[in-house]
Amino acid sequence: MSLTRNAEATASRTANSRWLELLARVGFIGYGIVHLLFAWLALQIAFGKAGDDGDQSGALRTIAAQPLGKFLVVTIAVGLLAMAIWQALEAAVGHRAERGKERVWERVASAGRTVVYLYFAWTAFKVFKDAGSNSADQQEALTGKLMESSGGRWLVGLAGLVLAAIGVGLVIYGLIKRFEKHLKTGEMNAKTRQLTRRLGMAGYIAKGVAYGISGLLIILAAVNYDPEKARGLDAALRTLRDQAYGQILLTLVALGIAAFGVFCFLQSRYRKV
């Protein structure tokens, strides 16, 4: 029992580390930059212009291609890794202000964020090592291999269901403004609080729509045994564009994703870390 308490105390001290907090706040700035570029790529897709993949890896490759771009990508990767460590510690011993099921839910949510931030940090490091890699092609190849294995189509379908559920969850998270409980709203003036609320709602809803469509495409790929359909966010955005009024809808999603990018900058200042 004492060993458990000591481990929790050590994890809690690490979570409250000043350096970890600073790196996490840098990570939010990097996360915001990635989403602003992601939004720009989505707009390119909306208006039929050729370019990089319309996803976060495409955004990171855009950064890497600029002067000092690789340095910026590494900085973003380190910040995202710090965010992952912070959320992993929150999942393990954090959210003590909450009680019962609420604390369980928050710890599960932190575990989910840990996976997301780790994925983006890993993507950033991969872009740094090989700026020419294509995430959509890699995902298609991985999906194809999975489908060839025993039970692989079920795994791909399950992954699609999880991604679609995350999309729905993000939309709900934005609509009920749950993100506000993690912000230092008491330190904001009325205008900043209103701006943050609107950006957070638009951002989470737009991301939820993109992830939800991506999840549905992966499910369809599993059902129809067609790995080409499982190409992630890039294909999701292109699918949205090809619908009736798709250009308008995709433009709105792109603006929402840009709103999330600006929201990340505000989180860097006001997030409870």
Side-chain angles (χ1 to χ4, degrees), residues 2 12 26-27 38 42 69 78 90 92 129 139 165 175 204 210 221 254:
S2 60
S12 182
V26 169
F38 177 21
V78 171
E90 287 285 276
K129 289 176 65 178
Q139 180 170 337
L175 285 172
Y204 278 108

Side-chain angles (χ1 to χ4, degrees), residues 12-28 75 78-86 89 268 273:
S12 182
R13 283 195 300 271
T14 305
N16 293 324
S17 163
R18 179 64 176 164
W19 281 107
L20 184 61
E21 177 183 343
L22 288 173
L23 285 173
R25 294 195 186 282
V26 169
F28 274 117
T75 302
V78 171
L80 289 168
L81 184 60
M83 290 167 71
I85 293 170
W86 158 51
L89 291 168
S268 177
V273 178

Side-chain angles (χ1 to χ4, degrees), residues 84 86-96 98-117 162 165-166 173 178 181-182 271:
W86 158 51
Q87 284 300 302
L89 291 168
E90 287 285 276
V93 298
H95 303 291
R96 294 186 177 182
E98 311 293 346
R99 291 289 180 271
K101 291 182 179 179
E102 187 69 17
R103 188 186 180 206
V104 171
W105 163 251
E106 289 294 344
R107 291 174 74 180
V108 169
S110 285
R113 293 187 196 107
T114 301
V115 174
V116 171
Y117 296 148
V162 170
I166 289 171
Y173 194 86
R178 192 178 180 87
K181 71 180 296 182
H182 299 295
R271 176 80 183 209

Side-chain angles (χ1 to χ4, degrees), residues 21 25 28-29 183-184 187-188 263-272:
E21 177 183 343
R25 294 195 186 282
F28 274 117
I29 293 172
L183 300 174
K184 299 175 183 176
E187 296 181 10
M188 301 177 185
F263 175 70
C264 287
F265 298 151
L266 289 167
Q267 283 196 95
S268 177
R269 167 65 178 84
Y270 294 108
R271 176 80 183 209
K272 296 174 183 175

Side-chain angles (χ1 to χ4, degrees), residues 167-243:
V168 173
L170 287 171
V171 170
I172 295 171
Y173 194 86
L175 285 172
I176 66 174
K177 301 182 284 291
R178 192 178 180 87
F179 53 85
E180 286 189 313
K181 71 180 296 182
H182 299 295
L183 300 174
K184 299 175 183 176
T185 53
E187 296 181 10
M188 301 177 185
N189 59 39
K191 286 185 178 179
T192 301
R193 190 160 51 247
Q194 185 180 54
L195 175 64
T196 303
R197 179 179 294 126
R198 289 176 177 174
L199 289 171
M201 289 180 68
Y204 278 108
I205 291 170
K207 284 190 69 175
V209 169
Y211 281 113
I213 295 172
S214 183
L216 288 175
L217 289 177
I218 292 173
I219 293 169
L220 285 173
V223 171
N224 298 324
Y225 200 81
D226 186 1
E228 287 189 6
K229 286 191 166 127
R231 293 175 63 87
L233 286 171
D234 180 69
L237 297 178
R238 294 179 193 277
T239 299
L240 181 59
R241 180 198 61 193
D242 294 338
Q243 308 308 306

Side-chain angles (χ1 to χ4, degrees), residues 126-178:
K126 282 192 69 177
V127 167
F128 171 74
K129 289 176 65 178
D130 182 13
S133 62
N134 187 303
S135 65
D137 289 343
Q138 290 172 358
Q139 180 170 337
E140 183 181 334
L142 176 60
T143 304
K145 287 181 181 178
L146 273 174
M147 286 186 179
E148 291 171 3
S149 64
S150 177
R153 288 175 69 183
W154 288 101
L155 286 174
V156 171
L158 180 60
L161 276 173
V162 170
L163 192 56
I166 289 171
V168 173
L170 287 171
V171 170
I172 295 171
Y173 194 86
L175 285 172
I176 66 174
K177 301 182 284 291
R178 192 178 180 87

